[in-house]
Amino acid sequence: MKPMLICSFLAIIVLAGCNRAGNSSARFSSPNGRWVLEVDSNDHGAIAPAVTVVNLHASKDGWDSENNVLIVPGAYTVNATWKSNSTVQIDCIQCPMGDADLITAKKGPVWILYGGISP
């Protein structure tokens, strides 16, 4: 193969590997609108490992890593159900239980239920 053809072929392979990268996010507001549970699931492809982060903060505040309540290696779908203004249930679809660690079971006045953990 000619050098120019080899370089073009390698560039196509490298670019094709980046097509899997993606980002998904979701917001779940408490019934009274005071709290927001946000989920960000990033798959950076070959650039960095995928990670799913769940963040709980007051609705008047923005995302701050200090408010992360769950971090899971890998890109997963997370659903949340507010059982009351002070209790939220987090369900991580197909998350490996051993890798998904709840950082805190309570953030401010809000209890966080995950994987059988309850107040």
Side-chain angles (χ1 to χ4, degrees):
M1 262 185 177
K2 294 182 179 179
M4 184 60 133
L5 185 57
I6 292 171
C7 290
S8 297
F9 181 70
L10 290 175
I12 290 170
I13 291 173
V14 170
L15 292 175
C18 295
N19 287 338
R20 297 192 60 192
N23 179 29
S24 64
S25 61
R27 290 175 56 99
F28 304 90
S29 296
S30 63
N32 64 6
R34 291 185 181 157
W35 294 93
V36 175
L37 185 110
E38 286 190 79
V39 179
D40 188 47
S41 183
N42 286 304
D43 183 354
H44 302 284
I47 297 170
V51 66
T52 300
V53 180
V54 179
N55 189 277
L56 177 65
H57 57 84
S59 58
K60 63 182 173 62
D61 300 331
W63 183 293
D64 182 343
S65 61
E66 300 256 338
N67 295 321
N68 291 346
V69 296
L70 178 70
I71 299 176
V72 186
Y76 297 98
T77 300
V78 175
N79 292 325
T81 305
W82 285 89
K83 300 194 175 283
S84 69
N85 288 317
S86 61
T87 306
V88 63
Q89 171 75 45
I90 300 172
D91 296 307
C92 188
I93 311 305
Q94 297 182 340
C95 286
M97 287 302 285
D99 291 342
D101 293 322
L102 191 63
I103 295 169
T104 181
K106 189 172 186 193
K107 187 74 174 171
V110 179
W111 284 99
I112 303 151
L113 309 178
Y114 179 78
I117 299 170
S118 61

